[in-house]
């Protein structure tokens, strides 16, 4: 019965994958990629295709690719994707090759998500077995979180729009997912590579080092260790082999070594390619410096541009620090609270970054919505799910309308557009808060099942 | 006054900017108490165009228009306090148009009803200009009675002169504006303006066509021109040499491409050569007597300008190629490294 179910499940999974690829290809063949690359929600100063092409042209003209403050990405991306921006094939849409690269990146990310999801699901089942809860929880009802997450990622309109809109988000997302996959599957060089590349391309995945450390040290998501101890106290048999392993430092050191190796490699390559144009310092100033100092204030679906357009020069540095610390100060408490669920921690970090980063886009949202799919079992009881879903749909419909009203028709003003940005941020906050509380409720439910009686509110 | 302003307007339309025009007007008409249309000057009785409207920059007006100032402008001998806008800042490559109108007679032109500019004074001034290399070609146009006598005394090469009437003839006005009460434009100027109204900036009308457009029966005088001092043939000289300012544009179809940097390097050199034509000619003018040194200077200058950017381009290109290929190899090598390391560690 399981096998049949699995077969049916996998059959329609591949169907959906192929359908989404075909849909992307159809959209690519529309003229000028439906002008999606000019939408502020899709292309930000960091991910814009036009800026990549400009950076490549500047490099080809023997000038620094960061000249004129157009391109703010990695020089390696320039060498890799730059030639694709100018290659034209007769009779085909202009940026076919680049779009194909984005599609391939999306598909690879989806496959990696699926593999990690399967990994997570197996780990969850194993931990339930060791807690002897298999009879009490109906395991056959467990959805295939890997498949679902992969399908969410592929068929999400945000992902499709980011892919067809020729932004570099699919590639950044692929790096992040590679890192998480490597960490879940204990492939340490792969995890280190993914982490280094993700940090190099955009600054924010650097905080993913904490979930990666937890993943490598403890293993994938599992209920809190305390529950295992309680269960075995009840059984009065301390069977060490059934306990999940404690925190081990060996893989961490291994990871640090590989991360160091890969970062040296990447930095050496960047240094070589930028030798004549100011070297690595120039690169850090133009990429990380640009992200941290929020130099470009063109509208996007984030909340920083509006604020920094009106802040006084005197206070600008102070508020820059405030906004960046806003992300940083949430790292520690969440790490403490969710250390037994590193993948979920990674999801929460990614969601917070996508919301509070300097130049968010829908590609970033696509990433965490895809990762959300890994936890469909744990988040089954999440409140406000319909509200959030309708909210996302509403914002994604209204935001372009408000932008059009503001910029093209002139009947609205910046407040219209910023309202949708604020609503979007609120929705994301509600999603994160409700998600964390749902997961903690799930752990609480497990504990109740184990101990048989409700405990007090602690833990 | 309307004559001068009409020609001023024509010359500006054909491209000469205000910095290159010195306008001297006695300026007694526009704000005259007897002018029915204050501050307006028309050159036609239909009053279609107010010549003294916007965008008229008068450099010498009223009592500043004297023979002394005129000769100072021509020869460039000003007092130190005179601003640049009032000076004739020409050099040895300039083409100058000098247009004078008013009352005149046999070998003189009247200034402000109190002074006269004599023909030998004018010829002296032009000779001084030539000595000081203040012009390459000079076209003098005079619209007064017996205008051709004004340039009897010229001897400097490169001077072309045309007057509206010969000795013993009067120049007549074109028509009377009964509303204002005076005649508004003279015939010679009127037919000159008519010629230029038909012209647009890119036509190649030559000076000979301008000069032959004057019909003695219509002018009621003979427009006489003197071309013995002017070495070029009038059919080859476009009117825009004097009356307009036409820039030479070089049209290129190629879009900016990475590999056509070589061509663009040479292209820039060509452009600079075109613009520095008069510099080359300066050397030729100065060294007219010396002879031998000319040929050395020009080719050296050209080659020097050509070689330097070309060689640096080449070096840069090679360096860039190396760096680029190295980075590409590094990137490509990352993937097998990753695969191998992952497989090894597993």
């Amino acid at each position: 019965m399981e096998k049949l179910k699995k077969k049916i499940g996998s059959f329609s999974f591949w169907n959906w994958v192929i359908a989404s690829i075909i849909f992307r290809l159809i959209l690519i063949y529309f003229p000028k990629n439906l002008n999606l690359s000019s939408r502020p929600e899709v292309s930000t100063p960091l991910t814009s295709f036009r800026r990549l092409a400009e950076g490549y042209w500047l490099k080809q003209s023997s000038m620094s690719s960061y000249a004129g403050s157009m391109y703010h990405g990695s020089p390696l991306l320039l060498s890799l994707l730059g030639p694709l921006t100018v290659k034209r094939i007769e009779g085909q849409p202009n940026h076919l090759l680049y779009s194909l690269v984005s599609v391939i990146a999306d598909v690879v990310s989806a496959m990696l998500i699926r593999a990690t999801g399967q990994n997570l699901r197996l780990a969850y089942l194993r931990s339930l077995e060791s807690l002897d809860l298999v009879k009490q929880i109906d395991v056959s009802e467990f959805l295939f979180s890997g498949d679902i997450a992969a399908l969410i990622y592929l068929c999400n309109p945000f992902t499709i729009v980011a892919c067809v809109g020729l932004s570099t988000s699919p590639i950044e997302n692929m790096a992040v997912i590679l890192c998480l996959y490597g960490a879940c599957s204990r492939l340490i060089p792969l995890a280190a590579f993914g982490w280094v590349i993700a940090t190099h391309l955009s600054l924010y995945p650097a905080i993913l080092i904490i979930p990666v450390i937890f993943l490598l040290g403890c293993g994938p998501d599992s209920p809190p260790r305390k529950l295992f101890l309680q269960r075995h106290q009840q059984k009065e048999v301390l069977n060490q082999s059934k306990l999940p392993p404690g925190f081990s430092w060996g893989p961490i050191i291994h990871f640090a070594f590989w991360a160091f190796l890969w970062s040296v490699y990447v930095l050496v390559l960047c240094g070589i390619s930028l030798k004549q144009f100011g070297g690595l310092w120039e690169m850090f100033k133009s990429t990380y410096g640009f992200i941290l100092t929020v130099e470009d204030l063109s509208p996007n679906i984030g909340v920083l541009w509006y604020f920094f357009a009106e802040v006084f020069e005197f206070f600008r540095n102070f508020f820059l620090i405030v906004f960046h610390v806003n992300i940083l100060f949430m790292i520690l408490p969440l790490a403490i609270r969710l250390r037994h669920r590193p993948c979920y921690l990674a999801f929460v970090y990614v969601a917070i970054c996508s919301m509070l980063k300097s130049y968010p886009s829908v590609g970033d949202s696509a990433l965490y919505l895809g990762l959300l799919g890994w936890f469909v079992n744990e988040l089954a009881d999440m409140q406000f799910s319909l509200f959030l879903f309708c909210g996302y749909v509403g914002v994604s419909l209204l935001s372009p309308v408000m932008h059009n009203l503001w910029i093209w028709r002139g009947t609205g003003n910046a407040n219209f557009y910023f309202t949708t940005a604020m609503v979007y941020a609120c929705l994301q906050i509600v999603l994160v808060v409700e998600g964390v509380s749902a997961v903690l409720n799930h752990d609480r439910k497990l504990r109740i099942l184990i101990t048989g009686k409700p405990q007090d509110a602690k833990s | 006054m309307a004559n001068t302003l009409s020609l001023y307007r024509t010359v500006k339309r054909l491209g000469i900017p205000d910095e290159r025009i010195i306008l001297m007007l006695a300026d007694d008409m526009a704000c005259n108490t007897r002018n029915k249309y204050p501050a307006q000057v028309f050159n036609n009785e239909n009053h279609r165009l107010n010549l003294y409207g916007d965008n008229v920059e008068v450099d010498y007006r009223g009592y500043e228009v004297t023979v002394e100032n005129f000769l100072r402008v021509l020869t460039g001998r000003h007092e130190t306090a005179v601003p640049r806008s009032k000076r004739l800042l020409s050099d040895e490559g300039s083409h100058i148009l000098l247009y004078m109108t008013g009352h005149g007679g046999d070998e003189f032109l009247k200034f402000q009803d109190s002074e006269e500019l004599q023909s030998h004074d004018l010829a002296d001034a032009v000779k001084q200009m030539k000595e000081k290399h203040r012009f390459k070609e000079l076209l003098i146009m005079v619209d007064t009675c017996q205008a051709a006598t004004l340039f009897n005394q010229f001897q400097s090469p490169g001077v072309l002169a045309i007057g509206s009437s010969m000795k013993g003839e009067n120049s007549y006005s074109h028509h009377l504006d009964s509303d204002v009460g005076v005649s508004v434009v003279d015939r010679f100027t009127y037919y000159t303006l008519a010629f230029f109204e038909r012209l647009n900036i890119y036509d190649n009308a030559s000076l000979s066509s301008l000069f032959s457009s004057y019909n003695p029966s219509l002018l009621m005088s003979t427009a006489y021109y003197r071309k013995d001092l002017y070495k070029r043939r009038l059919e080859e000289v476009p009117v825009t040499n004097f009356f307009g300012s036409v820039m030479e544009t070089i049209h290129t179809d190629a879009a900016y491409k990475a590999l056509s940097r070589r061509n663009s390097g040479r292209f820039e050199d060509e452009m600079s050569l075109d613009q520095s034509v008069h510099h080359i000619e300066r050397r030729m003018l100065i060294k007219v007597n010396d002879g031998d040194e000319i040929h050395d200077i020009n080719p050296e200058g050209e080659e020097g300008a050509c070689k330097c950017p070309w060689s640096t381009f080449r070096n840069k290109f090679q360096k860039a190629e190396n760096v680029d290929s190295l980075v590409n190899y590094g990137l490509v090598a990352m993937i097998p490294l990753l695969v191998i390391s992952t497989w090894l560690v597993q």
Side-chain angles (χ1 to χ4, degrees), chain A residues 42-56:
Chain A
V42 175
S43 72
T44 66
L46 295 175
T47 61
S48 163
F49 172 75
R50 198 173 55 96
R51 290 182 182 243
L52 182 72
E54 173 90 12
Y56 179 68

Side-chain angles (χ1 to χ4, degrees), chain A residues 51-80:
Chain A
R51 290 182 182 243
L52 182 72
E54 173 90 12
Y56 179 68
W57 184 85
L58 285 171
K59 195 170 90 139
Q60 291 302 102
S61 313
S62 304
M63 284 190 266
S64 163
S65 43
Y66 298 115
S69 184
M70 272 300 270
Y71 180 64
H72 293 283
S74 148
L76 301 181
L77 211 60
L78 263 189
S79 313
L80 209 58

Side-chain angles (χ1 to χ4, degrees), chain B residues 295-312:
Chain B
H295 300 294
D296 289 343
I297 294 178
N298 286 344
E300 226 181 273
E302 285 176 33
E303 268 176 31
C306 266
K307 263 189 196 156
C308 292
W310 173 234
S311 51
T312 48

Side-chain angles (χ1 to χ4, degrees), chain B residues 127-193:
Chain B
K127 191 168 170 206
Q128 280 190 45
M129 284 174 82
K130 197 70 198 177
E131 284 295 315
K132 293 169 80 168
H133 303 291
R134 279 166 73 77
F135 68 92
K136 188 168 150 221
E137 292 177 11
L138 176 63
L139 171 63
I140 304 184
M141 218 181 204
V142 186
D143 187 0
T144 65
C145 304
Q146 303 186 58
T149 55
L150 196 65
F151 36 84
N152 274 343
Q153 312 284 341
F154 282 159
Q155 284 155 4
S156 321
V159 175
L160 183 62
I162 179 165
S164 57
S165 50
M166 297 185 65
K167 182 178 163 92
E169 293 175 352
N170 292 335
S171 295
Y172 295 96
S173 65
H174 190 255
H175 62 267
L176 173 74
D177 182 357
S178 44
D179 196 14
V180 175
V182 291
S183 2
V184 283
V185 66
D186 293 338
R187 284 181 184 252
F188 179 72
T189 308
Y190 181 82
Y191 288 113
T192 312
L193 293 172

Side-chain angles (χ1 to χ4, degrees), chain A residues 303-304 319-331 352 355-356 429:
Chain A
V303 293
L304 267 77
F319 279 110
L320 275 176
I321 297 177
V322 164
F323 272 88
H324 289 299
V325 162
N326 203 3
I327 303 180
L328 291 176
F329 88 86
M330 281 198 255
I331 294 181
I352 292 175
M355 184 170 44
L356 297 173
I429 291 172

Side-chain angles (χ1 to χ4, degrees), chain B residues 66-284:
Chain B
T66 59
V67 174
E68 180 195 341
N69 276 348
F70 175 67
L71 292 177
R72 279 187 188 274
V73 164
L74 280 187
T75 54
R77 292 166 143 198
H78 292 282
E79 305 195 346
T80 44
V82 171
R84 279 172 71 90
S85 60
K86 283 183 167 177
R87 297 182 191 227
L88 178 64
L89 303 165
S90 57
D91 56 19
E92 64 275 348
S94 308
H95 297 168
I96 302 184
L97 167 70
L98 177 60
Y99 173 81
M100 298 187 278
T101 181
H103 288 296
D106 194 2
E107 307 229 359
F108 72 90
L109 182 90
K110 221 170 152 186
F111 267 64
Q112 305 266 36
D113 269 346
S114 57
E115 289 184 304
E116 289 168 359
L117 172 72
Q118 308 242 354
S119 60
H120 48 256
D121 284 330
L122 186 61
D124 260 347
V126 170
K127 191 168 170 206
Q128 280 190 45
M129 284 174 82
K130 197 70 198 177
E131 284 295 315
K132 293 169 80 168
H133 303 291
R134 279 166 73 77
F135 68 92
K136 188 168 150 221
E137 292 177 11
L138 176 63
L139 171 63
I140 304 184
M141 218 181 204
V142 186
D143 187 0
T144 65
C145 304
Q146 303 186 58
T149 55
L150 196 65
F151 36 84
N152 274 343
Q153 312 284 341
F154 282 159
Q155 284 155 4
S156 321
V159 175
L160 183 62
I162 179 165
S164 57
S165 50
M166 297 185 65
K167 182 178 163 92
E169 293 175 352
N170 292 335
S171 295
Y172 295 96
S173 65
H174 190 255
H175 62 267
L176 173 74
D177 182 357
S178 44
D179 196 14
V180 175
V182 291
S183 2
V184 283
V185 66
D186 293 338
R187 284 181 184 252
F188 179 72
T189 308
Y190 181 82
Y191 288 113
T192 312
L193 293 172
F195 179 85
F196 281 108
E197 289 297 318
R198 290 194 301 266
L199 198 72
N200 82 9
I201 196 167
Y202 297 112
D203 281 347
N204 267 344
S206 65
L207 277 180
S208 63
S209 63
L210 171 65
F211 290 171
S212 48
S213 70
Y214 296 123
N215 188 343
S217 52
L218 288 175
L219 282 179
M220 291 160 71
S221 59
T222 319
Y224 172 76
Y225 60 93
R226 183 179 171 182
K227 60 173 186 180
D228 52 317
L229 297 168
Y230 191 66
K231 290 295 175 283
R232 293 168 70 183
R233 292 180 50 229
L234 289 180
E235 292 81 22
E236 295 163 6
V237 182
V239 284
T240 47
N241 264 13
F242 292 102
F243 287 90
S245 167
V246 179
M247 293 295 169
E248 187 180 343
T249 51
I250 300 179
H251 178 73
T252 144
D253 268 329
Y256 282 111
K257 280 206 202 92
L259 290 176
S260 62
R261 253 177 290 139
R262 293 184 194 178
N263 296 336
S264 68
R266 274 201 219 113
F267 173 72
E268 284 172 38
D269 285 328
E270 282 171 36
M271 275 303 295
S272 60
L273 278 177
D274 280 335
Q275 286 164 3
S276 62
V277 153
H278 62 277
H279 286 300
I280 296 175
E281 292 195 352
R282 165 200 266 177
R283 293 189 198 106
M284 287 169 74

